[in-house]
Amino acid sequence: MRLDEAAKTIDEKKVYRVEGFSCANCAGKFENNVKKIPGVHDAKVNFGASKISVYGKPSIEELERAGAFEDLKVAPEKRRQQTIEEVEKGKKDEKVPFHKKHSTLLTSILFLVFGYLSLFVNGEENIVTILLFLASMLIGGLSLFKVGFQNLLRFEFDMRTLMTVAVIGGAIIGEWAEVSVVVILFAISEAMERFSMDRARQSIRSLMDIAPNEALVRRNGKEIMVHVDDIAVGDIMIVKPGQKIAMDGVVVNGYSAVNQAAITGESVPVAKTINNDVFAGTLNEEGLLEVRITKLIEDTTISKIIHLVEEAQGERAPAQAFVDKFAKYYTPIIMVIAALVAVIPPLFFEGSWETWVYQGLAVLVVGCPCALVISTPIAIVSAIGNAAKKGVLVKGGVHLEEMGNLKAIAFDKTGTLTKGVPVVTDYNLLDNQMEEKALLSIITALEYRSQHPLASAIMKKAEGENISYSAVIVEGFSSITGRGIKGTVNGTTYYIGSPKLFKEISVTDFDPDIEEKVRTLQNQGKTAMIIGTEQSVLAVMAVADEVRETSKDVIRKLHQLGIEKTVMLTGDNKGTADAIGGFVEVSDIQAELMPQDKLDYIKQLRSEHGFVAMVGDGVNDAPALAASTVGIAMGGAGTDTAMETADVVLMGDDLRKLPFAVRLSRKALNIIKANIGFAIAIKFIALLLVIPGWLTLWIAILSDMGATLLVALNGLRLMRVKE
């Protein structure tokens, strides 16, 4: 292990909130400055969430000195309260009048207007005209020049260095008016970039705003309002109709419908009664609920969603890694090109120094990589924020991009394509000697005593039809290993089991028709059982894990989106697998698989298709989920394992979110590619104008500003993608 890695393992990671980022370039510079602080072994800025993670023990003063070039404010992260305060601050900022919020920029524009009036009245060389333009430049570009000069002294090259050199050069050759306009347009461009990222970030922060800060808690026989930070596990919280639930917990009294849209994306309220889980941030619509608190505020599902989504914004996607690497070499190259443009024509081709120095300065301005640097993060933050609001948790830009490239998707059967809860699907009485309900009562009494996994389905059916079975006296109950069960009721011995069992006890009326009936049910993907006595067969019953109503439609939509292959993986027998797989219309069915077999099949799929997703419950099939390109877990709400292990989590246990997630990812991937391509192309086209000598400072800054604006607006479109 290297020394810096060893130090990182010793030092605890500390996370700080950062206020004041104006651009991704500045975030990168802040990260590098923090890494240079003595005692800091590593640092990573999360531009999307305005946070920095630091390995080491720097003071707040040291961190703020590292960010002094942009007057950054740093504070330790207090996950929930900090975010709530930011939301409140954001609301206050929105109410600040426009003229107060942008007073510096407006003052600069005012001096520019007076400068042009003086230019028309007094002429370009007049001292009043020059002073007015100079005042406009200094007021509008003070923060720009401050950082630019520092960069020049340290030989650090970023877009502010380029702009500072261009402005100094423009002033030297007497282009006061144009330089003033360039400074103002650059300030407007930065303001738009900041506004765009704030809009994207707000979509995440608004999630935390949905949970109340206080809850009504019963303590020592009294009902009191308690701040969520002071609520303990085991407290009883009282939630009245129309109130939002403040904490995660379990209902101990009451019945109500709860709107869980904020957590799971479900549009229809969910019925909640005793022993049901409820989540912070959801809305109690009807009845009074008493809830026993099961998690502290920092461990609630909504807090984890916020934390994981913010962490996801900091994960650099492949496209962003490319942009970061490209930008590192891009700025110095632009400075060299600008110098060559300014020097070569006058030295070797008798060009005018004034003309070509001007062209060189324009190259510096057009070279500002604002649009390129913001092209990827704004798209990723917008997409991840939109997905979180719809109940899809994407844990990083890399997973967002990979999901956009998916060619094949494998599904675990139980609990994914099916509901994972067995139900009685068929109950056919074959002998008229007994009444249907009376026989069901005996069957349920016998199954109640068995340990068979399907017994719960039979008990549920009896309870649903109000058939009593607990009072039925069963004597001599026993399990017949691998074949069924038996027990005596009112002197008659009843058997429940497979055809093999009834052949063994030689039931007289057991004929091929009954075997064929059982075979037909099994071919439909059901578990069939025969009920009878030693003298006759009384009934045939079938139990099955029901297919989700949405599964077939989801598979169809995925094929329409261009997914080449959909596969169902299951440990079930081939008959059951074929029946369910055929119904939902997956491309391929793999049955009777052990966990190792599923892992091997996922590896095979990856070798054939490259980008492969595995959809499961996040607990079982962990090796297969890990081996896939993107592991997608069902039902993450309240399930810590799913939220921690999967790359993408469908919070509401709703498979219909999957086509939306794939579509959003593909759109994000297309927008990222388009943004990068457009940002580079607009620079290239502007640079070509140097050849005929048509490039001006106006065109240069407008091309940069226009590209930044279009890239930002294009990225923000991802916030509007609907299910």
Side-chain angles (χ1 to χ4, degrees), residues 317-523:
Q320 195 167 346
F322 160 75
V323 167
D324 291 347
K325 194 172 182 180
F326 183 83
K328 185 179 177 183
Y329 301 103
Y330 171 81
T331 306
I333 289 169
I334 284 291
M335 293 198 77
V336 171
I337 291 171
L340 293 174
V341 167
V343 171
I344 288 176
L347 284 179
F348 299 102
F349 302 102
E350 298 181 358
S352 161
W353 278 100
E354 187 177 342
T355 301
W356 287 102
V357 166
Y358 178 87
Q359 289 288 301
L361 296 173
V363 169
L364 285 180
V365 174
V366 84
C368 283
C370 300
L372 184 63
V373 172
I374 200 177
S375 60
T376 305
I378 197 163
I380 287 170
V381 173
S382 298
I384 288 175
N386 185 13
K389 283 187 170 183
K390 302 286 197 309
V392 179
L393 185 56
V394 182
K395 291 167 61 178
V398 61
H399 307 308
L400 188 75
E401 281 200 33
E402 285 173 342
M403 198 154 59
N405 285 315
L406 287 178
K407 297 290 187 293
I409 301 179
F411 297 86
D412 181 37
K413 177 182 77 70
T414 307
T416 302
L417 292 174
T418 66
K419 293 178 179 176
V421 180
V423 293
V424 175
T425 56
D426 299 82
Y427 176 40
N428 301 319
L429 210 62
L430 302 178
D431 193 308
N432 295 325
Q433 294 175 22
M434 289 195 71
E435 185 190 357
E436 194 174 285
K437 288 189 176 182
L439 181 58
L440 182 57
S441 177
I442 292 168
I443 294 167
T444 310
L446 288 166
E447 289 289 353
Y448 175 67
R449 287 162 175 78
S450 81
Q451 297 298 313
H452 198 281
L454 301 180
S456 61
I458 297 168
M459 289 157 59
K460 199 181 292 179
K461 179 176 174 64
E463 288 163 3
E465 296 183 15
N466 293 319
I467 294 170
S468 174
Y469 59 86
S470 55
V472 176
I473 299 169
V474 178
E475 297 173 330
F477 175 84
S478 65
S479 177
I480 306 163
T481 307
R483 292 185 291 281
I485 57 174
K486 71 173 183 176
T488 302
V489 177
N490 296 329
T492 303
T493 301
Y494 293 91
Y495 294 82
I496 303 174
S498 63
K500 190 186 289 186
L501 172 63
F502 283 84
K503 282 180 182 176
E504 285 178 6
I505 61 176
S506 304
V507 177
T508 52
D509 64 350
F510 184 77
D511 56 38
D513 287 345
I514 295 171
E515 275 196 276
E516 181 59 33
K517 197 180 285 289
V518 168
R519 204 162 25 249
T520 302
L521 291 168
Q522 286 174 338
N523 289 338

